[in-house]
Amino acid sequence: MFAQNEVVASRVFDAADIAADPVYEEREDIVTVEDPDLGPVRMQAVIPHFRQNPGQVWRTGPELGQDNRLVYHHWLGVADEKLAELEQQGVV
């Protein structure tokens, strides 16, 4: 009925369907990233793909607190002494 009425349609894919689909594989929409605790993890790549700025999945996610210094010191301008104080107080 869809084809007769020129309706573009497809079944809905779940995560398992996507991970097993050869089209997603060929388009490199699923990548394997090494996780320090879990080992290799297959996950979604950066979509859409741009030629001049393709993007990259480089980790599964940070460890708890791994990026604190970057966020508090570099991005928010919190002084090292103040950050150390917050860490000692258990705030961070």
Side-chain angles (χ1 to χ4, degrees):
M1 184 186 304
F2 284 134
Q4 290 172 348
N5 291 290
E6 299 181 9
V7 174
V8 178
S10 174
R11 68 183 180 90
V12 176
F13 280 58
D14 64 17
D17 294 330
I18 291 169
D21 189 275
V23 174
Y24 283 91
E25 187 73 32
E26 180 67 27
R27 291 177 43 84
E28 299 179 351
D29 290 338
I30 306 295
V31 295
T32 301
V33 179
E34 190 67 30
D35 182 86
D37 297 320
L38 303 173
V41 175
R42 289 178 46 83
M43 59 194 309
Q44 178 180 329
V46 176
I47 300 172
H49 303 279
F50 295 112
R51 279 180 280 190
Q52 293 181 345
N53 189 13
Q56 178 184 8
V57 177
W58 54 277
R59 67 179 182 184
T60 55
E63 295 289 325
L64 183 61
Q66 179 178 336
D67 294 332
N68 282 357
R69 182 157 303 283
L70 172 68
V71 173
Y72 285 100
H73 182 70
H74 182 71
W75 291 352
L76 299 177
V78 175
D80 286 333
E81 300 80 22
K82 182 64 177 177
L83 182 55
E85 179 184 325
L86 293 171
E87 288 170 345
Q88 184 179 6
Q89 294 172 352
V91 174
V92 176

